[in-house]
Amino acid sequence: MHALFRMAWSVSAALILSSQACVAHAAEIKVLGALGMKAVIEDLGVRFERATGHKLAVTFLPLGMTVKLVQSGETADVVIIPQQGMEGFVKDGKVIASSVRAL
C-alpha cells in the first residue's frame, strides 16, 4: 500500500512540476502512459486539472506500443513508463536525461 501511495505521489508531483513549465494561462498537457499506470493517472489527473486549470490529454497504451510510438517520433509533455524503457529513450536521445524522474 505504501508503494502505491509513493507512486501516486510521484506521478502527482511530476504532473505539477510539468505544469510549472507552461505559460500562465491554462494549457493542454499531453501525457503518454503505459496501461499499468492508468488507474493512478486517471485519479490524480482529475485532481491535477481542478487544482491547476490545465487539461490533461492522456493516451494509455500497452508498454510495447508506448515505446514504439515514442521511438517513431511521437512527442509528449509527460511519458510515464517503467524505468528500463525510459533509459532506452535517454540513450536514443528521445528524452532529456535531466527531465527523468523515478516513480
Side-chain angles (χ1 to χ4, degrees):
M1 185 66 174
H2 292 291
L4 181 58
F5 178 75
R6 281 194 309 265
M7 183 184 320
W9 177 252
S10 296
V11 170
S12 179
L15 291 173
I16 290 169
L17 289 173
S18 71
S19 73
Q20 302 304 314
C22 298
V23 294
H25 63 281
E28 182 172 274
I29 299 171
K30 184 175 178 181
V31 180
L32 290 177
L35 283 173
M37 295 299 298
K38 186 174 182 176
V40 173
I41 295 170
E42 286 178 340
D43 179 49
L44 293 174
V46 172
R47 296 178 201 182
F48 171 81
E49 289 176 341
R50 264 190 258 132
T52 66
H54 298 301
K55 171 83 173 115
L56 297 179
V58 184
T59 301
F60 295 105
L61 297 168
L63 177 59
M65 291 180 70
T66 303
V67 170
K68 286 180 185 178
L69 197 60
V70 173
Q71 287 174 336
S72 71
E74 184 69 27
T75 61
D77 300 304
V78 178
V79 177
I80 303 173
I81 64 169
Q83 188 171 354
Q84 309 89 292
M86 197 61 71
E87 289 168 356
F89 292 159
V90 170
K91 181 181 174 190
D92 295 341
K94 300 290 184 185
V95 172
I96 299 168
S98 63
S99 71
V100 175
R101 300 292 179 264
L103 301 179

